[in-house]
Amino acid sequence: MEPIYLDHAATTPVHRDVVAAMYPMYENLYGNPSSIHSFGRKARQLIDEARHVMAKSIQADEKEIIFTSSGTEADNMAFIGTALANKEKGNHIITSVQEHHAVLHAAEYLEENGFNVTYLPVDHTGRISLEALQAALTDDTILVSIMFANNETGVIQPIKEIGNILNSHQAIFHTDAVQAYGLLPIDVTSLGIDLLSVSAHKINGPKGIGFLYVNKRVHVQPLAFGGEQERKRRPGTENVVSMIGFQKAVEIMLDQREKRNQTYAHYKELFINRLRALEVPFKINGAESQTLNSIVNISFPGTNVEALLTNFDLNGIAASSGSACTAGSVEPSHVLAAMFGQDEACTNSVRFSFGLNNTEENIVDAANRVAKIVNRIVK
Ligand code: PLP
């Protein structure tokens, strides 16, 4: 049975052209970008080009891009680095309950170190309330961090409106755009974003590289100390080959974004319609009209996620619950719990996420296999 990968929100296959861009570099490009000889200068030039592409992709300036090892590191730097650099202005931070753990665990760390954190709730559609944000802001608030689109449900937050609210407040606005970046056009200036996290492996780039956009007016304290790389904000000898792969993935993404959006919207519809046609009882989690085209999170009443994922895997379907697997058991999703409370959707929901290796045929095939499994469990 042909395996079908429907877990592109977890990670994506590396694009063939990205591999082609990186491969020769491993053999030929070994100079240290900090060296002044020609080997070093060549590496430096390629980093500058990659940084230029990253910056342009969000309408930012090259000096505002800090390469990191991951989306996680970008989130940590945004959170902890901003808090430490701005602590004389206040010690209050606002985020939301449905953030990625790269943000939530950084927030907990700051709480342990004297900062106050407000966790905004979300409603059953998965969106925060702008009124609640407004009400939570105080003179002490130095940072607001709300993710662009959620990794479990794909639900998109009202980023422009948040940017507008914060326009007249001292708080720095961070958004984790790790899931959104590959599908939504982002202009950091018009959206009022000060800090933005991105990760290459979600857009068919290599794993282990990301970037943090830092508006030039914002000060972020470094979390590592050493050389002068990344303008001393993130020292360490650069991962040049991954930067080149990341650059290629961004170029391809920018070129194909619109088409990808249409294709994934079509796959989502096809998948859902096929489940309906096969009379599978299900419910979609999250506001459908406010969700990334690449993600659908589905609750299957009368089932549980562990049995579903095991059976899916046995039948070649790679999908995911958004939550962490610990010692073979799946913990209830904090995102769905935030949306529904103690509802059974928290324990019977699966995330399907579409990407480059999918086709109409394998989407229909996947829906057929899912329908067979779910109907066997519930009927
Ligand atoms: N933020 C979001 C929304 C994510 O989906 C992920 C990855 O799943 C991360 C952050 C972490 O990114 P990385 O895997 O590059 O550390």
Side-chain angles (χ1 to χ4, degrees):
M1 193 180 289
E2 190 68 22
I4 303 175
Y5 188 73
L6 295 178
D7 204 13
H8 292 86
T11 195
T12 56
V14 181
H15 195 287
R16 180 185 297 125
D17 295 350
V18 170
V19 178
M22 292 173 73
Y23 190 68
M25 296 297 168
Y26 279 115
E27 278 180 351
N28 304 324
L29 184 83
Y30 51 86
N32 187 319
S34 299
S35 300
I36 54 166
H37 49 61
S38 62
F39 294 80
R41 288 201 311 275
K42 178 70 193 158
R44 164 72 45 216
Q45 183 202 334
L46 292 173
I47 294 181
D48 290 346
E49 283 171 24
R51 196 186 306 282
H52 177 74
V53 170
M54 305 298 138
K56 241 181 110 204
S57 73
I58 53 170
Q59 315 302 324
D61 189 272
E62 285 149 42
K63 295 190 183 71
E64 298 175 312
I65 301 295
I66 303 178
F67 280 108
T68 63
S69 66
S70 57
T72 299
E73 189 191 337
D75 282 346
N76 272 245
M77 193 186 285
F79 234 76
I80 302 170
T82 307
L84 294 181
N86 293 279
K87 62 178 189 279
E88 76 292 346
K89 294 186 188 153
N91 77 339
H92 180 233
I93 291 163
I94 300 175
T95 185
S96 81
V97 285
Q98 49 97 53
E99 299 295 313
H100 191 272
H101 284 119
V103 161
L104 291 178
H105 289 159
E108 282 164 25
Y109 172 78
L110 288 178
E111 282 186 292
E112 285 158 16
N113 286 278
F115 289 88
N116 292 320
V117 181
T118 301
Y119 297 88
L120 297 178
V122 290
D123 63 18
H124 69 282
T125 70
R127 306 244 296 173
I128 65 152
S129 135
L130 295 171
E131 292 72 36
L133 168 63
Q134 193 96 55
L137 283 169
T138 72
D139 291 347
D140 268 344
T141 311
I142 50 171
L143 174 67
V144 172
S145 178
I146 305 291
M147 76 198 320
F148 215 121
N150 186 270
N151 46 301
E152 295 190 26
T153 58
V155 171
I156 302 162
Q157 297 297 332
I159 295 299
K160 191 171 176 50
E161 292 79 355
I162 298 171
N164 281 343
I165 292 173
L166 296 179
N167 213 359
S168 52
H169 193 282
Q170 68 161 0
I172 290 155
F173 179 22
H174 169 243
T175 186
D176 173 342
V178 166
Q179 294 291 340
Y181 177 72
L183 287 169
L184 303 179
I186 298 174
D187 176 338
V188 285
T189 311
S190 74
L191 293 170
I193 296 166
D194 298 310
L195 304 168
L196 177 130
S197 310
V198 168
S199 176
H201 74 100
K202 309 288 184 180
I203 60 155
N204 309 99
K207 292 174 180 49
I209 185 149
F211 74 75
L212 178 67
Y213 154 76
V214 182
N215 182 300
K216 48 175 109 47
R217 289 185 307 278
V218 170
H219 184 46
V220 173
Q221 190 161 306
L223 304 181
F225 302 90
E228 309 241 325
Q229 295 92 348
E230 302 298 304
R231 302 171 160 258
K232 291 193 187 168
R233 295 170 299 182
R234 202 271 186 178
T237 301
E238 296 91 336
N239 184 351
V240 188
V241 177
S242 290
M243 290 172 181
I244 291 167
F246 193 3
Q247 172 187 346
K248 190 68 182 171
V250 172
E251 287 166 345
I252 297 168
M253 179 277 285
L254 292 173
D255 186 49
Q256 299 184 354
R257 186 167 53 202
E258 206 32 60
K259 189 161 163 280
R260 285 185 190 180
N261 261 309
Q262 288 166 16
T263 307
Y264 302 157
H266 174 58
Y267 289 165
K268 197 192 275 201
E269 203 185 352
L270 205 59
F271 189 73
I272 292 167
N273 286 346
R274 188 76 195 142
L275 293 184
R276 284 208 180 100
L278 295 171
E279 297 181 355
V280 178
F282 71 91
K283 185 172 98 11
I284 294 171
N285 297 320
E288 272 184 76
S289 61
Q290 300 289 351
T291 302
L292 292 179
N293 291 330
S294 54
I295 298 180
V296 62
N297 191 304
I298 303 184
S299 155
F300 297 101
T303 69
N304 76 76
V305 65
E306 287 168 45
L308 286 176
L309 291 179
T310 311
N311 278 291
F312 290 170
D313 187 36
L314 286 171
N315 287 274
I317 305 290
S320 171
S321 73
S323 50
C325 293
T326 322
S329 72
V330 181
E331 285 170 12
S333 148
H334 71 286
V335 175
L336 298 178
M339 289 161 68
F340 305 122
Q342 293 306 307
D343 193 88
E344 63 159 352
C346 300
T347 55
N348 65 22
S349 296
V350 175
R351 174 187 71 188
F352 301 93
S353 45
F354 311 112
L356 283 194
N357 285 2
N358 294 134
T359 59
E360 279 189 0
E361 292 72 34
N362 74 15
I363 292 296
V364 173
D365 187 0
N368 289 341
R369 295 188 212 175
V370 166
K372 205 164 159 197
I373 292 161
V374 175
N375 284 340
R376 192 175 66 222
I377 294 175
V378 296
K379 287 183 180 164

